[in-house]
Amino acid sequence: MKNKVLWGSFLVLLGFAVLPVFLSAQGTLADYERAANLRDRVQFLALNVVDRSGWIEKTPRFWYRKTVKGGYEFDVMDAATLTKKPAFDPQKLAAALSAAAGEKYSALNPPFQAIAFVDNEAALEFDAGDFKWRCTLADYACKKVGPASRRRGGGGGSPFVTPPAPPQEPKASPDGKWEAFIKNYNVWLRSRDKKDDFPLSWEGTEGDAYAWLSISWAPDSKKIAAYRIRPGYRRLIQYVESSPADQLQPKYYTYAYPKPGDALDVCTVALFQVDGKKQFLVDSALIPNPFWCQGVGPNPRQMPDAAWWKDSRAFTFEFNQRGHQVYRIIEVDAATGKARTLVNEENKTFISYSYKKYRYDVGDGKEIIWMSERDGWNHLYLFDGRTGTVKNQITNGEWVVRGVDYVDEAARQVSFRASGMVPGKDPYLIQSYRINFDGTGLTPLTEGDGNHTVVFSQDMKYYVETWSRVDLPPVTELRSSADRKRLAVVEKTDIQELIKIGWRTPEVFSAKARDGKSDIWGIILRPTNFDPKKKYPVIEYIYAGPHNSFVPKSFFAFNQMQSVAELGFIVAQVDGMGTSNRSKAFHDICWKNIGDAGFPDRILWHKAVAAKYPFYDISRVGIYGGSAGGQNSTGGVLFHPEFYKIAVSFAGCHDNRMDKLWWNEAWMGWPLGPEYAASSNVDNAYRLQGKLLLIVGELDTNVDPASTMQVVNALIKANKTFELLVIPGGSHGAGRSSEVPEYGERKRNDFFVHNLLGVDPPNWNKTETKK
């Protein structure tokens, strides 16, 4: 067969007709060309797919973007009259923006995905490139009005260039009479006319200074909250850019990057009373002072925000104890400086505070709506803000709250998203609901069997609902919030052109997990020329980061997995135990055990598919992924060589001691223990039996490139054979989504074709796929 494939490819290159028997081979040049061209071929064949929408200020009108032949179209619909019209003239806007930006933009593919109507709908604003633009609709005059709200590449510019520190201008009191500022590492106060200034603190020093950013005035202008910070260890990663574009010689960089176990900044909380110039250092068994100075976000050097109640009686901050097993809302009394706990979360494994956190203060803190997994499922609770006790559980059941859209204090209702509430259905599909504060009156706002997104009007009178599944095209509807009545079908997707070219939807498949009870859900993608009489090697795309679940749930015309399938494979993606959005027990499998990656469940899932489908050949299984998926894919061939034979790993965080502190300590625990080594691909590299390709960018600031190189070192010491691709100048997405994706993806494809199909890939030094 190998000779037939090579001969068939040779005939294709020479332009000869090839016999059908040869065309049925896998991994041919024709397969490569079909895979390479798939995105361009299918992405606009699904028509009327609504992927963005937004309400226009306080009007009953909303805009939305939908797919049309060759690109996109923006329309506006009036919920009151149910009429639709184009949001703007695409030809005029493209011409005006092209002239203003000095670039060439097309009417069907403008350089923006979302718009905002401003000036009473007389103009549009949008982000294009690194700038925010405004275009007037009367004359289509476009101009830059500032930086883009979200620059490309996660902020724009080089990560090695330190942005200028914000100017430490004095912070004025709400009544305008005072200014607070930092002087000689301490908090000072002066009158606005600058005739009187004096210190509020004295103990701040170079190594334990008050932070200007932490200064927070009470609304009554009589109190201030601030933090004194003692810096921890500042770890720097060293980088070499081997092949810079602007010079011959390499460049050298350093990048601050805290890692698990590092000593971090610690904070002391202080309260200052302007009258009497009093200082209180907040100290309590609840918050050992000094304490780890981490806020509620992923930045380990982010200070917790002091949030004052409107009546200035106290301020609160959120305390995350290192180890992620204690999380509290602390209230500090403005009169005495005494601290007390309003909400206390404790867990024997971990609290997923970065991804499952919601707080809403009702009536200036009279009550608090709080998200918690304390009963084993992610739910909402109503706390008494005065006593810190739970008044009642708002949501309850063996399903999970996925997010809150709106809290109506007057009606005492919460609009929220949840999954897993419908028995027998995919537990990851999101639906929207409304419920009363006291837990009564649970009302579904969505009903179709699919994954739903809902966008409410500002007055909450209407909502736009788009829903679909991977195997069901999207429908976008307009509904009334009061009675959930469908007012109009805004758009319904047409996939007839997709079907004509042989495109097929993925198959949703579930099987039992290792516990024999939990259902494991995944999807199966077949090539467009699929033949059920043939045997196909299986490739799993993996990302088992514990912070979320990752198998697609909404419709897509194109996914990178489909391109891999076109080469002659069946491609699957699965969410195993240890990932999120199920019960806490399901999630806790990852605790101090990230190397598990749900593999026992994944293997059972694959075996169940193979039992149903003879074409699903699990004697030839490959696996690939990037970042956490890079760790997982290498882990597949190290820890389960009896099942996974081939792995390709991009930018893997192969040892959790080498990766970012906050993410890894959240799942692997603190202080560091032997479980880190047990999950390490470095410490377990000697186990390699199958084939492994490692890909890394030399300038990756998300995952330290040394993580991959330490695997390389361990493999060499163990005398193992493997392949390595280092991409000069490459960042975290190198070889797969940002720098040279075609090269990295082709390298991945060749590796699978050669090792799973037993076919020699084309000689790319002499051959190029046709585009």
Side-chain angles (χ1 to χ4, degrees), residues 145-318:
V145 292
S149 55
R150 178 178 290 182
R151 295 189 175 186
R152 291 173 296 181
S158 168
F160 303 110
V161 176
T162 303
Q168 295 194 15
E169 298 176 355
K171 293 190 176 182
S173 60
D175 64 8
K177 294 180 180 180
W178 297 98
E179 291 181 340
F181 60 100
I182 302 298
K183 179 180 178 181
N184 194 32
Y185 316 108
N186 283 284
V187 179
W188 282 61
L189 203 62
R190 69 184 174 208
S191 59
R192 197 63 184 268
D193 59 13
K194 299 179 176 57
K195 292 181 179 179
D196 184 23
D197 65 357
F198 51 87
L200 290 178
S201 70
W202 295 89
E203 77 282 8
T205 65
E206 294 92 333
D208 197 1
Y210 280 92
W212 169 76
L213 284 172
S214 75
I215 295 174
S216 178
W217 278 98
D220 66 3
S221 301
K222 294 181 179 180
K223 280 90 68 175
I224 295 172
Y227 301 102
R228 197 177 71 235
I229 300 177
R230 189 177 73 214
Y233 175 64
R234 189 167 186 265
R235 181 180 296 280
L236 297 175
I237 298 179
Q238 310 295 325
Y239 289 88
V240 177
E241 184 178 10
S242 63
S243 310
D246 59 347
Q247 67 182 49
L248 177 64
Q249 298 300 324
K251 292 182 177 180
Y252 307 92
Y253 307 101
T254 58
Y255 188 74
Y257 192 103
K259 293 185 178 182
D262 284 355
L264 292 182
D265 301 355
V266 291
C267 276
T268 299
V269 182
L271 166 71
F272 302 99
Q273 295 175 347
V274 176
D275 296 339
K277 305 176 185 177
K278 292 183 178 180
Q279 178 194 39
F280 299 89
L281 296 181
V282 181
D283 197 1
S284 166
L286 303 174
I287 45 167
N289 234 342
F291 66 92
W292 181 34
C293 187
Q294 179 174 6
V296 297
N299 183 351
R301 297 181 184 273
Q302 173 185 344
M303 292 171 292
D305 293 327
W308 285 93
W309 298 125
K310 294 176 183 178
D311 65 4
S312 301
R313 69 184 184 275
F315 69 89
T316 67
F317 65 93
E318 295 180 16

Side-chain angles (χ1 to χ4, degrees), residues 47-55 62-67 417 429-432 445-456 463-469 472-479 486 488-493 553-556:
L47 305 179
N48 305 323
V49 177
V50 175
D51 66 349
R52 301 283 193 285
S53 64
W55 289 87
F62 63 93
W63 64 266
Y64 63 93
R65 186 178 83 151
K66 69 175 184 179
T67 55
R417 285 160 279 128
L429 297 177
I430 296 174
Q431 301 270 4
S432 289
L445 300 178
T446 55
E447 56 190 26
D449 179 16
N451 203 41
H452 294 250
T453 60
V454 168
V455 182
F456 289 95
Y463 57 93
V464 178
E465 171 193 354
T466 298
W467 62 281
S468 69
R469 296 192 309 266
L472 183 70
V475 176
T476 299
E477 301 170 333
L478 172 66
R479 290 182 180 268
R486 186 174 68 185
V489 175
V490 180
E491 299 290 349
K492 189 172 183 179
T493 298
K553 298 299 170 182
S554 296
F555 178 88
F556 55 82

Side-chain angles (χ1 to χ4, degrees), residues 634 636-639 641 644-645 647 684-693 711 715 718-723:
T634 296
V637 292
L638 296 182
F639 298 112
Y644 295 99
K645 310 301 184 183
N684 291 280
Y686 70 91
R687 300 179 184 272
L688 181 65
Q689 296 180 32
K691 306 290 186 179
L692 175 63
L693 167 61
V711 175
L715 289 169
N719 201 29
K720 297 294 182 177
T721 299
F722 64 97
E723 292 192 27

Side-chain angles (χ1 to χ4, degrees), residues 617-682:
D617 185 359
I618 56 172
S619 69
R620 295 179 292 166
V621 180
I623 187 169
Y624 74 102
S627 195
Q631 177 182 15
N632 305 146
S633 51
T634 296
V637 292
L638 296 182
F639 298 112
H640 299 276
E642 78 289 349
F643 191 80
Y644 295 99
K645 310 301 184 183
I646 317 295
V648 178
S649 302
F650 295 83
C653 40
H654 295 283
D655 188 309
N656 299 102
R657 295 165 292 191
M658 289 290 293
D659 195 30
K660 59 195 75 63
L661 181 147
W662 73 273
W663 193 88
N664 293 273
E665 285 192 6
W667 322 115
M668 292 296 289
W670 179 88
L672 275 61
E675 56 274 358
Y676 277 83
S679 286
S680 168
N681 291 341
V682 177

Side-chain angles (χ1 to χ4, degrees), residues 480-553:
S480 166
S481 298
D483 56 10
R484 297 167 290 145
K485 180 181 178 181
R486 186 174 68 185
L487 302 178
V489 175
V490 180
E491 299 290 349
K492 189 172 183 179
T493 298
D494 179 355
I495 63 169
Q496 292 305 307
E497 294 301 315
L498 272 176
I499 294 174
K500 287 179 183 178
I501 67 166
W503 179 92
R504 64 185 72 222
T505 64
E507 178 182 350
V508 178
F509 192 91
S510 65
K512 292 300 179 184
R514 71 188 82 175
D515 61 6
K517 300 177 182 179
S518 303
D519 286 325
I520 298 299
W521 291 77
I523 59 173
I524 303 166
L525 293 91
R526 299 164 170 84
T528 55
N529 62 353
F530 172 72
D531 181 352
K533 297 179 181 179
K534 294 174 60 175
K535 284 275 191 178
Y536 290 86
V538 176
I539 297 177
E540 179 181 347
Y541 171 59
I542 189 170
Y543 189 98
H547 56 280
N548 210 335
S549 53
F550 304 97
V551 174
K553 298 299 170 182

Side-chain angles (χ1 to χ4, degrees), residues 36 110 330 344-345 402 460 559 730:
I330 304 294
N344 183 55
E345 285 291 335
R402 299 288 290 273
M460 296 296 292
N559 185 289

Side-chain angles (χ1 to χ4, degrees), residues 122-161:
L124 290 176
E125 286 188 351
F126 49 82
D127 288 347
D130 289 335
F131 299 97
K132 179 181 286 294
W133 292 81
R134 177 177 295 179
C135 298
T136 53
L137 297 177
D139 56 3
Y140 285 90
C142 297
K143 64 178 181 180
K144 297 175 185 176
V145 292
S149 55
R150 178 178 290 182
R151 295 189 175 186
R152 291 173 296 181
S158 168
F160 303 110
V161 176

